[in-house]
Amino acid sequence: MPSLENLSRQLLVLMGGPDNIISVTHCATRLRPVLKDRALVKTAEIDALDGVTGVVNKEAGLQIIIGTNVGEVYDAFMKVWQADDATSQKAETETSEVPSEKRSWFNGFVALVVSIFSPLLPLLAGAGLLRGFTILANEIGWLPTESSTNVLLTLAATSVFYFLPLLIAVTSAKRFATSPYIAMAIMGALIMPDFIGLVKGDGGNTITFLGIAIPVFNYTSQIIPAILTTWLQSKMELFMKKKYQTACI
């Protein structure tokens, strides 16, 4: 098997080069690149690479089956892809733009969902299994519900879902090529206890901000607000970068 760096360089070339790649994520066993033009991808040659066990090329996107070491391959690939600063900056700018390949809105939506949620699947699955174990242990009497062990295990499992907006903000920021730290700060403010204290009942009541009436809700465990907020952030960040570059000329 070739080194991870060599495999990454081969994949980079066979996927149409660095300029053809918009973003890359991975799930438990597969690399999931988002490309501008999939016609440039040499699927058969990728499938024949030592270290690749298969290729799935569907309308929803390209999937390169690596195996359980996909995380290591992903890290190596990202280093190779972003080795050239100019290429990296160009890729970051183009990530927020719509891919040039013609896809239906449904396929585009599926690709978006996959890129945002696939990095979180192991974490969500682990949290779900841990929560299921604690509930089962409570029911059969192995783990008393009032014990500190049960409390800590329950917190470990449910914290993932409580802070899910922060996790979604990070993966959305990578998808929309914007700052994950700003995205986390924005969503963090919306799930702080002081903000939640402003919500009355099921939410929908309004507060004023700079004289503007704003409806408030409990955003803990919410997904859609995190995605929309991060998307808006990416548009504002791109706008400000263009304005700043124009001002510096």
Side-chain angles (χ1 to χ4, degrees):
M1 180 176 178
S3 68
L4 296 180
E5 182 178 351
N6 288 337
L7 176 60
S8 299
R9 293 189 183 281
Q10 291 174 321
L11 288 172
L12 187 63
V13 172
L14 296 177
M15 283 194 284
D19 291 343
N20 192 41
I21 299 173
I22 295 176
S23 65
V24 183
T25 58
H26 72 87
C27 59
T29 59
R30 305 181 182 193
L31 281 179
R32 298 173 180 265
V34 177
L35 307 171
K36 288 188 286 184
D37 186 359
R38 274 194 287 143
L40 300 177
V41 178
K42 299 179 180 179
T43 305
E45 294 183 35
I46 293 177
D47 194 19
L49 289 176
D50 188 11
V52 174
T53 59
V55 178
V56 178
N57 196 358
K58 298 181 178 179
E59 290 187 4
L62 178 70
Q63 302 176 20
I64 302 173
I65 306 173
I66 301 295
T68 55
N69 65 328
V70 66
E72 298 176 3
V73 175
Y74 170 81
D75 292 338
F77 183 87
M78 294 301 290
K79 289 180 180 178
V80 170
W81 178 38
Q82 297 177 346
D84 186 339
D85 289 339
T87 300
S88 177
Q89 291 174 4
K90 182 176 182 180
E92 289 177 0
T93 301
E94 292 178 344
T95 304
S96 59
E97 298 176 357
V98 178
S100 60
E101 66 175 329
K102 295 181 179 179
R103 299 183 295 181
S104 70
W105 67 268
F106 177 76
N107 290 332
F109 174 76
V110 170
L112 175 66
V113 171
V114 167
S115 65
I116 291 175
F117 287 94
S118 60
L120 300 177
L121 290 180
L123 178 62
L124 294 173
L129 288 173
L130 179 59
R131 184 58 182 144
F133 167 77
T134 56
I135 293 175
L136 177 62
N138 294 156
E139 290 295 326
I140 62 179
W142 287 357
L143 187 63
T145 56
E146 66 276 5
S147 68
S148 58
T149 300
N150 178 69
V151 172
L152 291 175
L153 289 176
T154 301
L155 287 174
T158 57
S159 65
V160 173
F161 300 98
Y162 182 90
F163 293 108
L164 188 59
L166 297 182
L167 301 173
I168 293 295
V170 172
T171 56
S172 297
K174 292 181 179 180
R175 176 63 180 86
F176 298 130
T178 189
S179 170
Y181 308 108
I182 296 176
M184 286 185 65
I186 294 173
M187 288 310 304
L190 297 180
I191 64 174
M192 287 187 66
D194 287 346
F195 181 87
I196 297 175
L198 299 174
V199 180
K200 297 179 181 179
D202 294 330
N205 58 293
T206 58
I207 61 173
T208 57
F209 178 71
L210 299 178
I212 303 173
I214 302 175
V216 292
F217 298 89
N218 186 341
Y219 292 108
T220 57
S221 304
Q222 298 297 310
I223 294 173
I224 302 301
I227 297 175
L228 292 178
T229 301
T230 308
W231 178 77
L232 288 173
Q233 173 195 328
S234 70
K235 296 302 180 183
M236 293 180 63
E237 186 173 321
L238 184 62
F239 173 78
M240 294 302 295
K241 283 182 178 179
K242 289 181 178 179
K243 285 293 184 180
Y244 176 76
Q245 291 172 355
T246 302
C248 292
I249 295 177

